Amino acid sequence: MITPVPAALHPARIHPSSIVEDGAQLGRNVEIGPFCHIGAKVRLGDNVRIMSHVVILGSTSIGDNTEVFPNAVLGCAPQNIHYKGEDTELVIGSSCTIREGVTMHPGMPDFGGKTTIGDNSLFLAYSHVAHDCHVGDHVILSNNVMLAGHVTVGDRVIMGGGAAVHQFTRVGHHAFIGGLAAVSNDVIPYGMLNGNPGVLMGLNIIGMQRSGFDRKAIHAVRRAYKTIFDSNTPIRENIAQVREQTDKNAAVADIIAFIDAESERALSSPARGQRG
């Protein structure tokens, strides 16, 4: 039987209309607003604030100082016909902001059983993170962004409203995805993608500047980008040329390592139909 935990017996502030199942672990100074449901396997860190009508179920953990707005649903069963009720996880980091109607699902047992969200990330209204996604730190998903299963999003990525990311796609760190973009292939670190189908439009120079990259790093990335996506020769040959350069810096090395890594998807490029 599910019974509310009396606020007087717990260090958290729990509205009397909310249900916190026995077994839930609540940190110090947690606040749970009206008409929420917190499952027995949920773990909330210190100073977590849960507003009204929020549902958090399953083996879901939320880091310190995270704020969850009304009608968010976190940790419910993955939207996958092969899910049979296994105990899998959703791990949300610290100091995140999860706005109205956001949905996040735990992983599938055949793929590690865990969905992870980094620290200091912002999820605007009705954005969706599907099973087995891995989202980095300082990420922004704007309204109605949709991540399909098994998507990997690097640190400091920004996605515009309504963007949709195909399953198993990787989005490299510091990338920028335009609103309503259809991301069906991998996006290199620092890349800027827009359109449907998604086309690489250049580099997220502003994002690099905001993150403290110096002029040398930015110019090196620009040169590597022009070489890699030179339409006169195949991308793989261009990548080999960049790899052989002796003056590439860490930012360029990140791009090469991203391209070299195994992936289910092709590589997004500046030309429609051009594939890696």
Side-chain angles (χ1 to χ4, degrees), residues 138-230:
H138 299 279
V139 170
I140 299 176
L141 301 192
S142 299
N143 299 68
N144 299 297
V145 168
M146 298 170 285
L147 304 185
H150 312 281
V151 167
T152 300
V153 178
D155 295 344
R156 298 188 183 277
V157 168
I158 298 175
M159 296 192 181
V165 186
H166 192 283
Q167 62 183 359
F168 291 102
T169 297
R170 299 177 300 144
V171 179
H173 62 80
H174 290 85
F176 182 91
I177 308 300
L180 301 177
V183 188
S184 56
N185 291 317
D186 292 345
V187 181
I188 60 169
Y190 319 107
M192 180 178 293
L193 183 138
N194 209 343
N196 184 358
V199 175
L200 206 58
M201 297 293 193
L203 294 169
N204 183 19
I205 300 300
I206 293 176
M208 295 182 71
Q209 292 171 338
R210 289 174 176 172
S211 295
F213 286 84
D214 60 23
R215 289 170 60 87
K216 181 179 178 180
I218 291 172
H219 288 317
V221 169
R222 277 177 166 157
R223 288 194 298 271
Y225 179 87
K226 289 179 180 179
T227 302
I228 291 169
F229 296 107
D230 181 353

Side-chain angles (χ1 to χ4, degrees), residues 229-273:
F229 296 107
D230 181 353
S231 61
N232 295 315
T233 49
I235 287 179
R236 292 294 168 181
E237 292 184 18
N238 296 338
I239 293 168
Q241 180 181 339
V242 173
R243 189 181 292 112
E244 292 169 0
Q245 294 174 357
T246 58
D247 62 343
K248 63 178 181 288
N249 63 17
V252 174
D254 282 348
I255 296 175
I256 297 303
F258 180 89
I259 294 171
D260 285 343
E262 293 186 9
S263 178
E264 299 279 342
R265 310 299 300 167
L267 189 66
S268 295
S269 77
R272 295 186 186 277

Side-chain angles (χ1 to χ4, degrees), residues 2-274:
I2 299 173
T3 56
V5 176
L9 301 180
H10 206 283
R13 300 189 299 278
I14 304 171
H15 193 278
S17 65
S18 288
I19 293 174
V20 178
E21 297 184 25
D22 290 341
Q25 300 177 30
L26 309 185
R28 295 172 297 178
N29 200 36
V30 167
E31 180 180 348
I32 299 174
F35 302 106
C36 296
H37 183 181
I38 310 299
K41 297 180 181 179
V42 171
R43 301 177 301 281
L44 304 181
D46 295 343
N47 305 308
V48 169
R49 184 186 180 202
I50 309 297
M51 298 187 192
S52 69
H53 298 83
V54 173
V55 176
I56 308 176
L57 300 177
S59 295
T60 297
S61 64
I62 299 179
D64 298 347
N65 305 306
T66 288
E67 191 170 40
V68 184
F69 280 68
N71 298 302
V73 180
L74 310 175
C76 285
Q79 295 176 149
N80 188 309
I81 60 173
H82 301 293
Y83 181 71
K84 304 301 180 184
E86 297 91 346
D87 187 14
T88 56
E89 294 182 81
L90 168 63
V91 179
I92 300 171
S94 300
S95 301
C96 292
T97 300
I98 299 172
R99 294 301 304 248
E100 297 85 351
V102 169
T103 50
M104 298 179 179
H105 292 160
M108 290 290 293
D110 294 342
F111 293 92
K114 183 181 290 188
T115 300
T116 60
I117 308 294
D119 300 333
N120 299 291
S121 291
L122 171 61
F123 300 85
L124 297 187
Y126 301 102
S127 54
H128 172 68
V129 180
H131 59 88
D132 302 289
C133 286
H134 300 288
V135 179
D137 300 335
H138 299 279
V139 170
I140 299 176
L141 301 192
S142 299
N143 299 68
N144 299 297
V145 168
M146 298 170 285
L147 304 185
H150 312 281
V151 167
T152 300
V153 178
D155 295 344
R156 298 188 183 277
V157 168
I158 298 175
M159 296 192 181
V165 186
H166 192 283
Q167 62 183 359
F168 291 102
T169 297
R170 299 177 300 144
V171 179
H173 62 80
H174 290 85
F176 182 91
I177 308 300
L180 301 177
V183 188
S184 56
N185 291 317
D186 292 345
V187 181
I188 60 169
Y190 319 107
M192 180 178 293
L193 183 138
N194 209 343
N196 184 358
V199 175
L200 206 58
M201 297 293 193
L203 294 169
N204 183 19
I205 300 300
I206 293 176
M208 295 182 71
Q209 292 171 338
R210 289 174 176 172
S211 295
F213 286 84
D214 60 23
R215 289 170 60 87
K216 181 179 178 180
I218 291 172
H219 288 317
V221 169
R222 277 177 166 157
R223 288 194 298 271
Y225 179 87
K226 289 179 180 179
T227 302
I228 291 169
F229 296 107
D230 181 353
S231 61
N232 295 315
T233 49
I235 287 179
R236 292 294 168 181
E237 292 184 18
N238 296 338
I239 293 168
Q241 180 181 339
V242 173
R243 189 181 292 112
E244 292 169 0
Q245 294 174 357
T246 58
D247 62 343
K248 63 178 181 288
N249 63 17
V252 174
D254 282 348
I255 296 175
I256 297 303
F258 180 89
I259 294 171
D260 285 343
E262 293 186 9
S263 178
E264 299 279 342
R265 310 299 300 167
L267 189 66
S268 295
S269 77
R272 295 186 186 277
Q274 184 178 344

